[in-house]
Amino acid sequence: MSSVIWYLYEFARKSWAEKFADAKSGHDIVERPARFRDFPEVFKEYCIGCGACTAACPAPGAIKLVRDSDTSETEGLTYPVITAGACIRCGFCAEVCPTDPKAIECGENHLIREEFTILPVEKMFVIDDYLCIRCKKCMNACRVEGAITEEDNKIVIDQSKCIACGDCLKNCPVKGALKGIYISNVEEQKRIINLAVQKLEKAIEDNQDEIKVLPADKVLKMELPADELIEESLQILNNEEMVIDLIEKVTDRLKLRVITWDEEKCTKCRLCLEDCPSGAIIYDEEKGVKRDPDKCLRCSTCYQTCPFGVAGYYIAKFLLKRSPEEDVILITLKASNLPI
Amino acid sequence: MILPLGPMHPAFKEPLRLKLKTRGEKVLSAEIDYGYVHRGIERVMTGKTWQKAIYLSERVCGICSYIHTQTFAETFELISGERAPLRAQFLRVLTNELDRIQSHLLANSTYFKALEHETLFMYMLYLREPVMDAIELLTGNRVNMGWNVVGGVRMDVDDTHLQKVRDIINNLESEYDKYVEMFEQGPLVGLRSKDVGVMSKEDAIKGRAVGPIGRASGLKHDLREDHHTYRDHLDFNVIWRKEGDNFARTMNRFDEIPESISLIKQVIDNLPEGEVRKKIDIGAGYGEWRNEAPRGEVTYMIETNGNLINNISIRTPSIMNIDSCAKYMLQDAATVADAVATYASVDPCVACAERVVILDEKEGKKEFQGIHNIKYLK
């Protein structure tokens, strides 16, 4: 009973009533330190949609690019959206953002000096100076100031500034002048290239009979289904985009030299034996002159030496033809026009 | 009977199952199950550049996150053959020691919580709070600081920062003794922990106990003695004890705090001028670097191709300490409450221990049961 009276007494006090009437929570005692790094802030009007932030983010699912739908007046904006649940507040997206002013900002402590930023992607773009025609289309297409420059009449890519968006490659008119190279999984890439070359060599060797009767001014065309090769490559490196890109590059640039050997024409003069630089041609009294294809360098010295036309010399070129039903590697083979 | 504790239990900070074999109240032996918070963080880090991976490395451990980034950066500096500028090395020591103080205070506070002495538990957190503020002042964040980079530290400090840190440290030093005395001289608190959970020096060597747990059992082993900054520029003593019981482990942590305070004072007094960061060209290679974390020895083994990380392996102290706790300390504990207190005295950090995938090679199955099954420490 007495406690109830105490409560009543307490409630009847003027100071209590005053406090009750203008009750409010106290001021926020949490003080933000000067160097505090909050979640990144996105200014979508500056974004160029290059995707450097999404490529740089170490946390899975923290950032993705979205695009607003178009309206009748304006085109929809592209901008990154940050999921606070997955973001680890490293500020890396703000660091790599190439726009000026920045589309993503993250605290004062992430204004990193330029010399420390390093390419955060798996692809590197290089210019082949031999093929480059200096049209400067890549330079005009590049979104980053100073990433592609002209020095001493050569086009140069500054790797520390490049964000690897790939616009330069799309605009390059010369095939092979600008190359996008994967800098990860180098060992696996080597194995896939070796595998592709072996497969192509085998396909040509299976058609030796047709090649031998090929006239000098005719071209032999063959088709090799590529699905098997792609599947085997995927077992080495489980990244379809990378594998297709690699095989495309291999078939694009590869020139295989093919040597045929017509034993019926051979008179065992053994002129080729001395000239062969790798010792691939052997003479045996019983078997005659033999060529070991594994040792052969395809240097064409025997073809140029033999007066009876035993050795034939052909050049094969390749092209990957992609279609929804079946991927095919087209092989064209023609006799070399070297003088005998 | 077998008494299971966990994986979720109010006495534990993190999920882990402790199976106690008991007769009545007496604990005969114990077994530990891991695998409730496995995250595969090393797998996520492979194939990334160091800039991305360093942010992930400080998420290996929730409390001593700082030393992970330092060890990561120093491994890369070892591969490149260069060292960070001297000012950056001193600033690393400063933050490292602040981190050590807060980690030790938190570890002791959880031990007191396990002893059911909640006043001392709250006092320890009260002491820890200004230290966290000092870390926040320097780096901008309280736990995951993002302060280290390969080649130095991210930001410079100025005199106002150093003055504030000095004030906080002086204040901690003046208040600290009275709380230690409550534990050391207190008739009941200290008695709960003396001669409980004893691990001899031989057992500590067998169980590979490291850090304050090993040092409390007589292993005079502190990796800071070998670290180039500590060895060449700073003075400190290795704290160690012989008893090997809960009291020794707790007091060992308490006694390391004044050493850390003296190191911080040395750093503030002798901080050299100059750059805090320099550009380092990392070549391809393999590097292995150890550092003394608050709980013991942290090792990073990194193989890189110059740009991306090919392979990374992290060895944290907790896995050895928790394992030696189950094998040697939890034998013959008088009560279950003592067993829980012994487990808390080891300062277990389950999050850092659980980067492992346990593979059974013979039967080709994956499982998470018992440390003795580990084939690949990864």
Side-chain angles (χ1 to χ4, degrees):
Chain A
M1 189 65 204
S2 63
S3 59
V4 175
I5 293 170
W6 265 110
Y7 273 121
L8 290 173
Y9 180 69
E10 175 71 22
F11 294 154
R13 274 168 55 214
K14 195 189 167 197
S15 61
W16 184 88
E18 273 172 2
K19 271 188 197 165
F20 183 78
D22 34 279
K24 59 183 178 191
S25 55
H27 70 280
D28 205 354
I29 55 162
V30 179
E31 201 177 303
R32 175 180 287 205
R35 290 169 156 189
F36 182 66
R37 183 190 339 136
D38 207 342
F39 287 108
E41 205 177 336
V42 179
F43 300 95
K44 54 183 174 182
E45 59 273 19
Y46 302 134
C47 181
I48 57 172
C50 66
C53 46
T54 50
C57 180
I63 187 166
K64 66 174 178 184
L65 278 178
V66 297
R67 190 170 183 273
D68 287 341
S69 54
D70 297 342
T71 58
S72 53
E73 294 95 48
T74 53
E75 213 173 273
L77 287 172
T78 309
Y79 57 93
V81 171
I82 289 156
T83 315
C87 177
I88 61 171
R89 298 193 297 155
C90 65
F92 213 67
C93 46
E95 205 175 290
V96 297
C97 183
T99 54
D100 189 25
K102 290 228 172 202
I104 305 182
E105 282 180 8
C106 184
E108 196 187 338
N109 60 2
H110 269 271
L111 298 177
I112 287 192
R113 281 166 287 164
E114 216 169 67
E115 66 252 42
F116 295 120
T117 50
I118 292 180
L119 189 71
V121 286
E122 290 192 332
K123 224 171 177 184
M124 192 167 98
F125 289 86
V126 288
I127 288 176
D128 188 337
D129 199 45
Y130 182 71
L131 291 173
C132 179
I133 54 168
R134 284 102 166 125
C135 64
K136 295 182 191 168
K137 278 185 181 164
C138 51
M139 209 178 186
N140 297 334
C142 185
R143 315 167 190 209
V144 186
E145 191 72 28
I148 304 182
T149 48
E150 192 180 6
E151 281 173 25
D152 303 336
N153 200 24
K154 278 182 188 174
I155 310 289
V156 182
I157 297 180
D158 186 346
Q159 297 298 348
S160 65
K161 286 179 183 165
C162 174
I163 55 167
C165 60
D167 279 0
C168 45
L169 189 59
K170 279 178 211 152
N171 284 284
C172 183
V174 183
K175 203 172 185 185
L178 226 162
K179 292 159 191 166
I181 300 167
Y182 286 98
I183 46 180
S184 62
N185 302 82
V186 181
E187 282 303 313
E188 282 89 348
Q189 289 187 49
K190 275 184 200 165
R191 279 169 62 195
I192 289 172
I193 292 169
N194 275 336
L195 184 77
V197 172
Q198 279 165 18
K199 282 254 169 194
L200 294 171
E201 258 193 331
K202 181 141 189 313
I204 292 170
E205 243 153 57
D206 290 346
N207 289 321
Q208 280 285 351
D209 300 336
E210 279 181 60
I211 298 171
K212 276 179 193 171
V213 295
L214 189 69
D217 54 343
K218 282 274 165 42
V219 175
L220 180 69
K221 285 186 180 172
M222 284 185 270
E223 281 188 3
L224 174 72
D227 289 344
E228 197 186 337
L229 172 66
I230 291 169
E231 217 148 86
E232 275 180 43
S233 309
L234 278 175
Q235 280 172 6
I236 297 172
L237 180 66
N238 194 14
N239 183 344
E240 194 169 351
E241 188 196 341
M242 212 162 147
V243 164
I244 299 286
D245 199 42
L246 260 177
I247 292 174
E248 211 164 0
K249 274 180 199 158
V250 168
T251 51
D252 208 24
R253 289 180 209 153
L254 193 68
K255 252 191 225 171
L256 273 188
R257 290 181 280 193
V258 182
I259 302 279
T260 55
W261 201 257
D262 196 348
E263 282 183 23
E264 287 170 13
K265 289 180 184 169
C266 183
T267 56
K268 299 176 187 170
C269 67
R270 283 175 266 161
L271 279 174
C272 51
L273 220 63
E274 286 170 13
D275 283 4
C276 181
S278 63
I281 304 174
I282 315 158
Y283 175 69
D284 195 322
E285 287 210 349
E286 287 174 11
K287 290 178 189 167
V289 180
K290 287 279 170 195
R291 169 179 166 267
D292 184 0
D294 292 341
K295 277 188 183 174
C296 178
L297 298 173
R298 279 92 168 158
C299 66
S300 84
T301 313
C302 50
Y303 167 72
Q304 294 181 47
T305 313
C306 181
F308 305 102
V310 175
Y313 183 50
Y314 300 87
I315 285 181
K317 284 189 179 182
F318 310 92
L319 185 70
L320 181 69
K321 189 181 158 194
R322 302 213 67 200
S323 64
E325 299 92 46
E326 202 185 20
D327 298 334
V328 179
I329 298 178
L330 303 174
I331 307 173
T332 45
L333 195 129
K334 63 165 188 177
S336 158
N337 50 4
L338 277 175
I340 298 178
Chain B
M1 66 176 278
I2 293 194
L3 177 71
L5 293 181
M8 302 301 166
H9 191 273
F12 296 171
K13 283 186 294 179
E14 286 159 299
L16 176 134
R17 174 172 284 167
L18 200 60
K19 289 184 205 156
L20 300 176
K21 199 182 270 184
T22 54
R23 179 177 293 138
E25 179 79 346
K26 191 172 160 60
V27 178
L28 301 175
S29 67
E31 200 181 302
I32 277 182
D33 273 8
Y34 298 93
Y36 297 96
V37 284
H38 172 258
R39 291 156 296 158
I41 206 158
E42 286 157 330
R43 181 68 188 82
V44 180
M45 277 155 89
T46 49
K48 286 192 158 57
T49 54
W50 71 258
Q51 284 96 334
K52 288 186 195 179
I54 198 163
Y55 291 110
L56 294 168
S57 83
E58 72 186 343
R59 281 156 180 83
V60 169
C61 181
I63 300 159
C64 49
S65 67
Y66 175 79
I67 195 74
H68 282 269
T69 56
Q70 187 183 333
T71 320
F72 186 95
E74 281 174 347
T75 316
F76 266 99
E77 284 158 21
L78 178 77
I79 292 170
S80 68
E82 286 181 72
R83 276 182 190 162
L86 197 59
R87 188 178 171 88
Q89 288 182 27
F90 269 65
L91 288 176
R92 278 178 181 174
V93 171
L94 175 64
T95 332
N96 190 2
E97 294 306 322
L98 283 172
D99 200 46
R100 191 182 309 280
I101 291 173
Q102 67 88 2
S103 175
H104 280 351
L105 285 172
L106 184 73
N108 281 350
S109 78
T110 47
Y111 176 66
F112 299 140
K113 182 83 176 10
L115 282 185
E116 307 290 349
H117 197 299
E118 293 193 3
T119 315
L120 211 42
F121 160 71
M122 290 308 288
Y123 280 152
M124 287 300 117
L125 291 183
Y126 162 74
L127 279 181
R128 178 178 177 255
E129 205 51 34
V131 183
M132 297 300 278
D133 286 345
I135 293 173
E136 193 178 18
L137 178 82
L138 290 173
T139 65
N141 272 338
R142 287 163 72 87
V143 179
N144 291 325
M145 304 170 209
W147 164 259
N148 270 309
V149 284
V150 174
V153 294
R154 198 177 284 283
M155 287 168 282
D156 205 353
V157 297
D158 57 29
D159 289 342
T160 54
H161 294 133
L162 293 178
Q163 192 53 46
K164 274 185 188 166
V165 173
R166 196 199 295 270
D167 288 348
I168 286 168
I169 289 303
N170 285 338
N171 200 18
L172 173 70
E173 202 175 17
S174 63
E175 287 199 18
Y176 162 82
D177 287 339
K178 112 180 137 192
Y179 298 118
V180 180
E181 202 183 318
M182 282 174 75
F183 174 68
E184 199 178 10
Q185 315 285 336
L188 287 175
V189 203
L191 274 178
R192 269 291 312 268
S193 35
K194 278 179 186 162
D195 284 332
V196 176
V198 183
M199 177 169 68
S200 67
K201 189 178 174 181
E202 289 73 30
D203 288 345
I205 292 169
K206 267 193 247 165
R208 282 92 167 151
V210 286
I213 290 88
R215 286 200 286 276
S217 294
L219 296 179
K220 197 186 173 192
H221 171 70
D222 193 323
L223 278 167
R224 281 182 287 172
E225 282 181 315
D226 303 334
H227 191 276
H228 48 83
T229 318
Y230 290 92
R231 187 186 59 212
D232 300 342
H233 304 284
L234 302 163
D235 296 324
F236 80 108
N237 301 319
V238 177
I239 306 293
W240 62 295
R241 282 173 175 254
K242 287 178 189 167
E243 300 94 332
D245 52 4
N246 288 358
F247 184 79
R249 283 189 276 279
T250 313
M251 279 313 292
N252 202 77
R253 273 188 222 112
F254 268 140
D255 292 346
E256 275 181 30
I257 291 171
E259 288 299 321
S260 292
I261 289 174
S262 94
L263 276 167
I264 290 169
K265 283 183 176 169
Q266 286 175 49
V267 167
I268 293 177
D269 292 339
N270 306 318
L271 191 65
E273 291 296 318
E275 280 281 293
V276 291
R277 188 175 177 183
K278 74 174 175 187
K279 190 171 167 62
I280 285 184
D281 291 323
I282 301 150
Y286 170 79
E288 193 176 325
W289 190 263
R290 292 154 214 273
N291 258 341
E292 182 77 13
R295 289 176 176 73
E297 174 186 319
V298 163
T299 313
Y300 268 66
M301 290 154 265
I302 299 175
E303 190 191 329
T304 170
N305 66 359
N307 184 34
L308 305 171
I309 295 171
N310 285 350
N311 209 341
I312 179 164
S313 191
I314 308 168
R315 183 183 157 99
T316 51
S318 294
I319 196 134
M320 289 88 86
N321 288 343
I322 298 174
D323 201 39
S324 57
C325 168
K327 271 183 186 159
Y328 305 112
M329 291 177 205
L330 289 178
Q331 287 175 345
D332 298 330
T335 61
V336 173
D338 277 347
V340 172
T342 308
Y343 173 73
S345 80
V346 175
D347 190 9
C349 178
V350 179
C352 40
E354 299 212 339
R355 294 152 298 93
V356 289
V357 178
I358 298 156
L359 296 171
D360 196 336
E361 253 183 0
K362 281 177 195 159
E363 304 189 5
K365 63 180 179 184
K366 271 187 193 176
E367 58 175 337
F368 302 101
Q369 201 182 49
I371 189 74
H372 51 273
N373 282 343
I374 290 183
K375 294 292 190 307
Y376 302 109
L377 252 177
K378 194 134 193 244

